[in-house]
Structure formats: C-alpha cells, structure tokens
Amino acid sequence: MANIAAQRIKREFKEVIKSEEVAKCAIRVELLNDTFTELKGEIAGPPDTPYEGGTFVLEIKVPETYPFNPPKVRFVTKIWHPNISSVTGAICLDILKDQWAAAMTLRTVLLSLQALLSAAEPDDPQDAVVAKQYKENNEMFQITARHWTNVYAGGPNINKDCDDKIRRLADMGIEEHQARVALSSYDWELERATEQLFS
Amino acid sequence: MSGITENTKTSGEPSKENPSPNSSDTPDDEKKDDRMFECNICLDTAKDAVVSMCGHLFCWPCLHQWLETRPNRQVCPVCKASISKEKVVPLYGRGSTKQEDPREKVPPRPAGQRTEPEPGSAFPGFGFADNGFHMSFGIGAFPFGFFTSTFNFGEARPTPAARGTQQHMEEQFLSKIFLWMAILFVAWLLLA
C-alpha cells in the first residue's frame, strides 16, 4: 500500500507545482526525501488577517495508509492562533482528523489551512489561552498574532510596544521566546507576566 | 467539410477528422481525455471502474479500501454523500472485458443490476431473483406450513446461474443454516 501513497504524492506534487496558487505564491510544497513520506509545506498568511505578509512553514508527514488516512501536518513556524498550539504547532482541523476524505490532496489541505488562518474556530480550540484571548479581548489577540507573524513568519508589521516589553524581560535574564509567551498570555501586561515568570 | 474542420480548429477541440495531423496538440489532448477517467483516490486511470450514485469515479479496489478504512462513516471521498458497496455501478467499457481472477485480495466488484424490460414485476419473488433463494413465512397447517415454506429454496426458480463467486458460497451457507434451523425447530416441537 505504501506504493499507492508514493504514487499519489508524486502526482499531487506535480499538481501543486502547476497550480495557480503557486503562481500567486500562496502555497508551496517541497520534497524532503525521495520516498515521498516527508514534505515541507508553505502557506502565505491570508490578506486582511493578522497573518498577512507572513510565510508559515508546515511539516507534512505522509502515512503509509495515505490517502485512506490523512497526512500528519504541523506548523513549524510559531503562530498565535486559537486552533494551533503556540507550543507544538499541532493543528485542530476536522479534515486532518475524522472529516478526512480520500479525494483530498496536498493542495486542498494547504488551502484549508490557509482558510483556517482567515477563519478561526475559537469554540473548538487547540490552544485554550489563545482561544480565550480571541473571544474576550480580540483587539489584543490581533496585536499578538500580528506581532508573532512579524517575529516568526517575517511579517512586515513591527510592534514597538511589544518589542520593548520583551526587551525589559530579557534584561531581567529571561529568554526572549519565553518572555513573549508570558506577555502574550497576559495581554501584554508586564506586571502579571513578570509575576508568572518568577513565581 | 472544410467549414467543419475550421470550426474544430478554432474551438481547440481534438479533431480526428483533420487530415493534417497537428502534432503538437494531440498528446496534450489525449492526456486531458485520460484525466477525465482518473480514479478520485489513486489519481490514476480507473481500473475496474465503479461510479457512485453521486457520480464520482473510482477504481473498485480503491473505493473498497476506503469503505473498509471507515466502516461506520461510509461517505463519498469526493462529496461526502453517503454511499454503500451495494449502490455503486460498475462501468464496463468495450474491449475491457478481460476478466482476471476476481477473488484476489479484494472482493469482486459488485455486478451491474440488470432489470428485464417487460413490466413483469407481478410474479412473486421477483425482487429475490438476484439472491437465488426465496424465504417466506406463512400460517398453514401447523408443522407443515412452516416446513414447506422453509424448503422453498429447493424449488426450481429462475435463479441466476451459479457464479462460482463468494456470493454463491454465501447463499449455499445461508441455505444450510435455514435448513438446520427448520430441522431443529421441528425436532423441538416434536419433543416438547
């Protein structure tokens, strides 16, 4: 059966390369080995979202039972999104679980993930902290997501306020990413973040 | 004729009547034609093609494996309409009748359902013609009514020729089970 999987990935790979989304630089796929079991995906942050301008790298693992079972996909680029773990990059998306259908392809999976970035599902969260912020303080969520896009995905929007607060924690000897997570989780309130870090 | 040729040329369709072979076009067009018959699962040209009620084309081995993978969620891999093994239509193209041994790893693809044209649906047991056995329960003179009705399957009925397939074996097996059930039931009645 591994044969079907490799055959299909080969075909899909060609399909993605030829697709118009690649022409528009919206999605990209790269092979990581010649057995077609591991691939690297890339999606562009959709316009009019905090992810705009960023490029998000995905790890795609193709199981032996593909296409009867979905590929295992995870964000390698750190991202602030209710349905994606800010720690592991694990994705909560139904089509990657029980709603998978054998006719779906790498192209449709990447496009679905791009759609997920435009339309979060905070009621079915992967990251509870992010989802809570999304629902209770959406403005702060937008700022945080945009900042993460800038730092990790090469987005254009630099937020000086965020950077300053992180530097202040860094000056206290806290690792930058750890400081960013703490501040992000506490709506960028320096005191509460510091309290949490030193408790 | 020249008008037709011109038409086909301009619309860009594959023109077989065109006397001058347009060498650069033909392979591409053929590929396009092939793609219309790709299995939606393996993306290769469909082998042992079947079509679901929602109109999606698959290789029978591919679709079978998909249905086996999710026994409690039998949906079309393309449109997620509910589908079942019994309700797919096999496609028999001309010249593709080379029958390999159907009993390989995958069970044979379901046969096409062929209905006789005349509206003779009045004759009893018509719906069972496919299954090759008929079972009916009736109220009759107590032990005999049951007995005779259970033995209906032995009767000469227009059964489809024994196919030597799994289905045939299953039928035989089922027949035997019913026979033993009847014998046990009668024995129990006599003893009680």
Side-chain angles (χ1 to χ4, degrees):
Chain A
M1 277 303 99
N3 219 354
I4 285 201
Q7 280 286 343
R8 237 194 80 146
I9 293 293
K10 238 185 256 178
R11 282 165 188 274
E12 287 185 37
F13 189 68
K14 279 186 204 149
E15 181 199 76
V16 177
I17 288 177
K18 277 192 227 147
S19 69
E20 51 185 281
E21 290 88 12
V22 166
K24 284 188 276 177
C25 301
I27 61 171
R28 230 169 72 117
V29 179
E30 227 174 84
L31 285 172
L32 291 188
N33 60 13
D34 38 5
T35 52
F36 298 94
T37 53
E38 277 184 46
L39 297 101
K40 183 178 131 182
E42 264 182 37
I43 53 176
D48 304 318
T49 67
Y51 311 105
E52 183 171 10
T55 305
F56 298 88
V57 177
L58 299 151
E59 173 190 275
I60 304 169
K61 286 190 175 161
V62 182
E64 252 186 46
T65 49
Y66 186 81
F68 301 101
N69 287 304
K72 293 184 172 61
V73 188
R74 172 182 92 78
F75 272 82
V76 175
T77 307
K78 294 203 180 306
I79 184 169
W80 193 254
H81 186 285
N83 304 108
I84 302 160
S85 164
S86 58
V87 183
T88 62
I91 303 164
C92 177
L93 182 61
D94 56 357
I95 62 151
L96 292 177
K97 292 170 186 166
D98 56 323
Q99 291 296 310
W100 170 255
M104 292 177 176
T105 63
L106 293 175
R107 181 177 153 268
T108 57
V109 165
L110 292 183
L111 292 176
S112 300
L113 286 172
Q114 207 176 27
L116 181 69
L117 296 190
S118 313
E121 287 281 351
D123 292 322
D124 186 18
Q126 175 75 35
D127 195 308
V129 176
V130 184
K132 189 164 173 280
Q133 190 183 56
Y134 183 95
K135 290 214 279 199
E136 292 172 5
N137 194 346
N138 195 269
E139 198 186 335
M140 206 46 85
F141 163 80
Q142 301 276 337
I143 289 172
T144 313
R146 200 169 292 121
H147 171 70
W148 280 53
T149 304
N150 165 238
V151 176
Y152 297 115
N157 300 301
I158 297 171
N159 188 317
K160 221 174 153 298
D161 183 45
C162 297
D163 288 339
D164 284 347
K165 283 178 180 161
I166 289 166
R167 199 165 305 121
R168 282 177 63 184
L169 284 179
D171 288 343
M172 291 184 233
I174 288 161
E175 193 267 322
E176 187 191 305
H177 178 67
Q178 205 186 347
R180 182 170 293 113
V181 171
L183 283 163
S184 300
S185 307
Y186 288 101
D187 295 347
W188 299 91
E189 287 173 24
L190 199 53
E191 298 82 48
R192 279 171 67 204
T194 321
E195 209 173 280
Q196 188 259 330
L197 283 166
F198 288 102
S199 65
Chain B
M1 267 318 266
S2 65
I4 294 170
T5 333
E6 247 180 57
N7 259 342
T8 43
K9 251 186 186 172
T10 45
S11 61
E13 278 170 14
S15 48
K16 279 165 196 161
E17 292 148 78
N18 200 338
S20 63
N22 205 342
S23 55
S24 65
D25 267 14
T26 340
D28 238 34
D29 284 339
E30 266 173 23
K31 245 186 201 167
K32 250 183 203 165
D33 275 0
D34 263 8
R35 290 199 66 175
M36 291 183 62
F37 300 103
E38 275 175 9
C39 162
N40 278 290
I41 293 179
C42 67
L43 311 184
D44 212 333
T45 306
K47 290 179 288 187
D48 290 343
V50 293
V51 119
S52 61
M53 283 303 182
C54 43
H56 295 111
L57 180 72
F58 308 95
C59 303
W60 169 242
C62 291
L63 186 66
H64 181 262
Q65 200 181 343
W66 168 250
L67 294 174
E68 290 283 290
T69 314
R70 277 132 216 269
N72 36 19
R73 211 177 79 87
Q74 309 254 299
V75 295
C76 169
V78 180
C79 68
K80 294 191 176 167
S82 114
I83 53 173
S84 76
K85 273 181 209 178
E86 290 74 32
K87 281 198 173 173
V88 296
V89 180
L91 295 183
Y92 303 127
R94 205 177 97 83
S96 65
T97 41
K98 196 172 75 180
Q99 297 261 328
E100 290 137 46
D101 183 15
R103 272 171 294 175
E104 285 173 320
K105 289 169 207 159
V106 181
R109 144 172 86 144
Q113 288 172 17
R114 203 175 162 280
T115 320
E116 286 300 327
E118 65 250 80
S121 57
F123 100 85
F126 178 78
F128 290 92
D130 252 1
N131 291 334
F133 80 93
H134 178 75
M135 199 180 74
S136 63
F137 288 97
I139 305 164
F142 153 55
F144 304 105
F146 188 83
F147 204 71
T148 44
S149 58
T150 320
F151 272 89
N152 255 347
F153 57 77
E155 179 180 323
R157 200 170 273 283
T159 54
R163 289 184 205 135
T165 57
Q166 244 182 354
Q167 200 192 345
H168 179 70
M169 308 251 293
E170 274 163 22
E171 276 163 21
Q172 293 294 312
F173 179 64
L174 218 70
S175 298
K176 273 181 195 152
I177 287 185
F178 281 123
L179 179 64
W180 281 108
M181 267 169 64
I183 289 171
L184 284 174
F185 184 65
V186 170
W188 174 69
L189 282 178
L190 292 175
L191 289 175

